[in-house]
Amino acid sequence: MKLSVSGRATAAVTVSAVMLLTGGSIAGAAPAAAPAPAATAAPDISVANVKAHLDQLQSVATANGGNRAHGRAGYKASLDYVKAKLDAAGFTTTVQQFTSSGRTGYNLIADWPGGDTDQVVMAGSHLDSVTAGPGINDNGSGSAGILETALAVSRAGYKPAKHLRFAWWGAEELGMVGSRYYVNSLSTANRSKISDYLNFDMIGSPNPGYFVYDDDPAIEKTFKDYFTGLGIATEPETEGDGRSDHAPFKDAGVAVGGLFSGADYVKTAAQAAKWGGTSGRAFDRCYHASCDTASNIDSTALDHNSDAIAHALWELSS
Ligand code: TRP
Ligand code: CA
Ligand code: ZN
């Protein structure tokens, strides 16, 4: 089983150890059943699967003029790829259409059937790239991370107490257009049912940092505790308050949080000392550039951040 700092997982380990010690020594006793997994333990997210999604998004860009930007063929093809995976896994998907800069844009919303729909835990990532390149770290990484987490929800047959919703936003690179459209389209009642919105925009930066959004304290603690359990130091993300799709949710009064591995800011010597990588160099030198390809990814950061997404979604929805 995967390492966990949660009390329930620790209890499960203890029980299985006791069974191991006593199970064979009770004459005539039925063999001990395998311990039930802790109800809140998230599965390990396969980084190979996340990277396979990134390879598909790279292929989409390559086949469509080198990008997946709003209003271009590569955007809709990206959405079709993600939607097909979710539909096959049993999600209820909705495509929300809007217009920006004279071009049609799309959000993809995927609901996992079940849970209390008065308490919605939501994860979102923007699926569009800039026109300059394929946008694999920005933001294929977040898009693939939440996609693989959604597929893991399905594989686990997870029955959360709260309702789970995933979203892939269009036209973030034009100023969070898709996510703002979605928030504005909600009735006041439906907006108030969103308990948490978790945002993932750039989670596989090639010279990575581990930044946790400094917003809702409970969400922030959920992420920080996870990384502490891995022995990885984090820093609060304060730069991004207005810079990604959590902003419209925050403006509407929703509790928000998220993860970020760094963009065009330069890694300091102190940050390189705690995280490795190269000081004096940007977290992502290919930010918004043509070189933001499938090779512009640190697999270890992508793996830890994807696992953290699953951990937080399980913990916040159980
Ligand atoms: N898509 C964001 C942008 O282009 C990426 C980004 C930069 C970001 N800095 C951030 C996301 C800080 C979250 C937090 O601006
Ligand atoms: Ca993993
Ligand atoms: Zn982005």
Side-chain angles (χ1 to χ4, degrees), residues 44-47 303 307:
D44 176 69
I45 300 301
S46 158
V47 72
D303 192 9
D307 291 339

Side-chain angles (χ1 to χ4, degrees), residues 5-40:
V5 294
S6 94
R8 284 211 214 179
T10 305
V13 168
T14 308
V15 168
S16 66
V18 170
M19 283 176 161
L20 207 68
L21 290 168
T22 62
S25 65
I26 304 170
T40 56

